[in-house]
Structure formats: structure tokens, C-alpha cells
Amino acid sequence: EKEYEAHMKRIYLDNAATTPVDEEVVKEMVPVFTENYGNPSSIYKEGRDAKKLVEENRAKVADALGAQPNEIFFTGSGTEADNWALKGAARRNKKRGSHIITSAVEHHAILHTAQQLEKEGFDVTYLPVDEYGKVSPEDLKKALRDDTILVSIMMANNEVGTIEPIKEMVEIVKEHNPRTLFHTDAVQAFGNIPVDVKDLGVDLLSVSGHKIYGPKGIGALYIKKGTPVENILQGGAQEKNRRPGTENTASIAGFGKAAEIAKEKLPEHTEHMQKLRDKLIKGVLETVPKSELTGHPEDRLPGNASFIFDYIEGEGILLSLDLAGIAGSSGSACTSGSLDPSHVLLALGLPAGRAHGSLRLTLGRDTTEEDIDYVIEQLGPIVKRLRAMSPLDEAHPIDAAVYEHGDHHHHH
Ligand code: PLP
């Protein structure tokens, strides 16, 4: 079996989890470890060279986002950028109010940070979404209060791929009160759809390196010039006294290159993935009975194909796909050791039992038409086999109430 595994081609369809690092990006990074290894804070040549590298790559990230270089601050991850935006904006503006608005479908980097802020005395409104995962601008308008200091809505959802109407929502917020800050988590959007901070009108925006064929452990926060945001880390004077810690120069070089490529290749990249995504969605819905697309049918990330398969569990589908050489993801958090169904799928209105049958396939730059054909061919028989073994099959109906409430323990 080992030999079989070693020779089998893998089809990687989990690009929303992370992407492989582009060869060109690796080429930019390697010499930073061995040659341009100085500390950007040092005043001698090695330090000045490293500083120059950081600034050149800051300009590349800024350019890809339509920002000024002095509005880009490197962080240790997309998660840190999200934490900084929320905690930094909330704490700094506390005198003006304590109300924050976000959505029910945010990544945990936002949701758990918002929950932390609630413990610190902030009042958080979690906006609902419709069956496709969209936040309603009307709901946002109604939720705005005199003491609302911050709104944070993601640009595109990591599980179901739904793209949110950020520009329209920024307009509503700014009309209500120009001083209410707007942050968007653009970690999934960046590199997949156009992201322009000036066009969107946001005050704060988070991005991450490893979702755009760059390295892991590097992110950035766009802070519009003049935006009042407190630091969340205390230390040295790096990043203009805003984000301490010796700069991750190699990853900054990689992130800059990845951002440059992302900008240059965006139209080609989008078209390629969208075409294959639509073929995959059509193929799966046609070949697998009782399957349903999750997320918005049109306003979705070009690489996201996510589904619900009734009567089976995402975990089982993932294991079978893995054996067939295919890497995918389930919205259900089973694989991470938790039995909770995805908060995103529940927010779409899916009952817990159905939410457990989720599968997310996210395409990348390197996905081919043959990959998609193979996945479609494999998925039908896999689902059929799992359903035949499932106590939840139509032929073995169980108490609907148990199913609805997600009695999940029969497989564990
Ligand atoms: N926000 C969204 C929407 C994401 O998908 C992710 C990645 O999983 C993050 C934030 C966190 O980014 P990072 O992995 O760089 O911490």
C-alpha cells in the first residue's frame, strides 16, 4: 500500500486551507536566509540591505491592494491582523462607544476575538446571513447605533465562498457616521478576486501570505492613514512603532513576491478556476443524488465548490477521497477533534444533521481539467458506498428529531 501511495498522483483541492509556495516565491526567499540575513534595525550595510528588502516588499503588497506603502503593516499571520484590527480599533475608540458589529459567518480569528472583546465590556452584534451566506446591507443599517465604533465583515467566506457586498456596506456605515471604522477580513478574497482598499473604502483590511502561494506565518494589516488603532503587541520600534518584533524578512520577501504575482495573474487565474469550478459543481450535482451546493450560486470565490450530501458525514467522504488521492475539506470541525458542526453552515440555516455532510473543494492555480474529471468520477461511488453503510440512509429512516439535532456519536 505504501508503494501505491508513493506513486499515486495527489489532487490537492484544499487551497482555501493553504496553497503551495510558488517556485518564484521560494527563489526570492532562499537568499534572505543565507545572504541578506541582516536585522533591518541595524545601521550597518547588512541591516540597511534587509531594511531595503522589507520596504520593497511592503510596496509590492501595498500595490496589490491599492494602498500606500505606509499603510501596510506586516504581522505574523492573517489571524494576528484580524486580532489587531478588532482589539486595536475597539480599545482605542472606547471613549466614543462600545458597540461592534460583525457577522455570524466570520473566521474564528474574528469571532473569537469579538467574544474576547465582549468579556472586556464591548457589546457585539452578530449579523445573520441568508441561505446563501450573504449579510444583508439592510440588516447592517438597522444594527448601526450611535455608539457603534467598529464594523467587521469578511470579504469572502472561507467555507462556502460567498462574497459579501463590502463596498455597499461601507457606504452605509460611513453615511451613518464617518468615524465608525470598517474592517474587512480579505484573507480568502486576496489573490482570488480584485481587492482594492480605496475602491472598497475600508479603514482596515487583513490579508495572509499562505493563501496566495506565499509562505505561512506572515500577514499584513492595511491601516488607512490616520485611522485610530491601538497596538496589541508591546516591544521594539519595528513597523513604525506599531508592530514590534524583528521583521520576518524571508517571509516578507516571499509575501511581496506572491502579492506581485497574484496581482499580475489575477484575471487569468480567476478565469481558469471559475471554469473548472463550474464544471465541478455541475458534475457533482448531476452525478450525486441528494447533493446540494452551499454558498451563493454566483457571488462566490472562483475556486470554491462546496456541498452538502444528505445522510452521510463529511469526515467519511474526506477519508474516502484521501484514499483515492484527493485532498479536500469538510466544513464540519470533526477532523480537528471537535464534534461541533460548522458555525457557517448552521448560520445558513442548515440543521446540524445535514451540516455534518459537508464537503469543501477549493481549486488552485495548478488544478487541471483532468483533476476535475477524476474527482467527479470518484465522488459518486464514494457517496453511494457511504450511504449504503450509513444508519441515516433513506432505507433506514431514524427519528427525524435525532437527525435534526445532529446525533453524531454513532461514528465515534
Ligand atoms: N481569515 C480567514 C477568512 C481565513 O480563511 C483564514 C485562514 O484560515 C484566516 C483569517 C487566518 O489566517 P492565518 O492562517 O494566516 O492566520
Side-chain angles (χ1 to χ4, degrees):
E1 195 197 321
K2 268 222 166 85
E3 199 170 320
Y4 172 66
E5 245 183 46
H7 288 103
M8 190 159 67
K9 182 184 180 252
R10 295 287 301 176
I11 295 174
Y12 183 73
L13 290 178
D14 202 13
N15 287 277
T18 197
T19 53
V21 181
D22 192 298
E23 299 280 358
E24 293 297 317
V25 169
V26 176
K27 265 189 222 160
E28 292 291 324
M29 293 179 69
V30 171
V32 184
F33 293 108
T34 52
E35 292 159 34
N36 194 355
Y37 53 77
N39 185 324
S41 299
S42 303
I43 57 163
Y44 42 79
K45 184 177 185 304
E46 287 83 350
R48 292 195 306 272
D49 287 349
K51 172 93 183 142
K52 185 162 170 273
L53 177 99
V54 169
E55 295 317 316
E56 281 169 4
N57 285 286
R58 191 191 310 284
K60 287 182 189 173
V61 174
D63 184 53
L65 294 171
Q68 296 299 315
N70 63 8
E71 296 172 314
I72 298 297
F73 297 88
F74 290 115
T75 62
S77 60
T79 297
E80 187 194 324
D82 281 342
N83 268 263
W84 187 5
L86 261 64
K87 291 174 183 165
R91 293 170 186 166
R92 175 68 192 273
N93 293 281
K94 194 159 188 175
K95 273 193 239 101
R96 294 197 298 111
S98 60
H99 184 229
I100 298 166
I101 300 172
T102 186
S103 86
V105 295
E106 301 294 312
H107 188 272
H108 283 143
I110 294 291
L111 283 183
H112 291 166
T113 304
Q115 286 162 9
Q116 174 61 29
L117 288 169
E118 285 188 86
K119 286 187 203 153
E120 293 178 21
F122 290 92
D123 186 10
V124 182
T125 298
Y126 299 89
L127 294 176
V129 293
D130 67 12
E131 62 185 308
Y132 303 116
K134 280 237 191 197
V135 176
S136 146
E138 270 308 307
D139 286 349
L140 171 59
K141 198 172 191 168
K142 281 185 225 142
L144 285 164
R145 311 191 317 213
D146 289 345
D147 63 341
T148 308
I149 51 172
L150 173 66
V151 176
S152 182
I153 310 282
M154 70 200 318
M155 196 164 173
N157 185 268
N158 46 300
E159 288 187 36
V160 296
T162 301
I163 298 168
E164 302 295 348
I166 300 301
K167 192 174 173 172
E168 191 183 339
M169 291 193 281
V170 172
E171 277 165 16
I172 287 168
V173 169
K174 296 298 173 181
E175 208 166 284
H176 174 83
N177 181 356
R179 292 179 75 190
T180 301
L181 301 181
F182 200 111
H183 168 256
T184 189
D185 173 343
V187 168
Q188 291 290 337
F190 190 32
N192 287 315
I193 56 172
V195 178
D196 185 303
V197 294
K198 295 290 181 286
D199 179 56
L200 292 169
V202 292
D203 304 288
L204 300 155
L205 179 142
S206 301
V207 289
S208 176
H210 73 107
K211 311 285 186 180
I212 65 159
Y213 305 85
K216 296 169 180 57
I218 185 80
L221 181 63
Y222 159 77
I223 305 180
K224 186 166 123 191
K225 199 167 183 294
T227 304
V229 178
E230 200 171 285
N231 292 359
I232 56 165
L233 295 180
Q234 277 65 48
Q238 292 89 353
E239 298 294 280
K240 294 204 201 68
N241 280 311
R242 307 290 291 273
R243 198 280 187 179
T246 300
E247 296 86 342
N248 185 349
T249 50
S251 289
I252 287 171
F255 192 18
K257 185 66 185 177
E260 185 181 68
I261 297 171
K263 185 191 172 185
E264 179 193 307
K265 290 200 176 159
L266 184 68
E268 185 193 327
H269 182 56
T270 305
E271 198 195 309
H272 170 75
M273 291 199 301
Q274 207 158 296
K275 196 179 111 229
L276 294 181
R277 176 203 68 189
D278 291 343
K279 181 179 173 140
L280 177 59
I281 292 173
K282 189 164 175 282
V284 170
L285 296 181
E286 278 174 8
T287 57
V288 186
K290 294 212 178 285
S291 59
E292 193 183 305
L293 181 74
T294 51
H296 200 279
E298 286 107 37
D299 298 337
R300 64 188 302 129
L301 287 172
N304 180 294
S306 45
F307 308 93
I308 291 285
F309 301 107
D310 282 345
Y311 310 118
I312 52 174
E313 301 203 4
E315 201 179 24
I317 308 171
L318 286 191
L319 294 173
S320 300
L321 283 173
D322 188 25
L323 285 174
I326 302 161
S329 153
S330 172
S332 155
C334 281
T335 44
S336 53
S338 149
L339 300 181
D340 298 336
S342 147
H343 67 281
V344 174
L345 297 175
L346 295 182
L348 302 189
L350 286 161
R354 292 195 71 207
H356 277 301
S358 63
L359 175 69
R360 177 188 75 178
L361 299 173
T362 45
L363 292 67
R365 268 181 208 165
D366 305 328
T367 308
T368 66
E369 185 146 20
E370 292 74 55
D371 293 343
I372 297 305
D373 287 336
Y374 177 72
V375 173
I376 295 170
E377 181 192 301
Q378 292 292 313
L379 202 55
I382 286 173
V383 172
K384 197 172 173 195
R385 198 171 61 240
L386 291 171
R387 279 183 183 155
M389 299 187 303
S390 170
L392 300 178
D393 196 284
E394 269 176 309
H396 309 84
I398 59 157
D399 180 11
V402 174
Y403 179 51
E404 294 287 306
H405 290 102
D407 173 27
H408 191 73
H409 300 281
H410 50 276
H411 278 191
H412 290 272

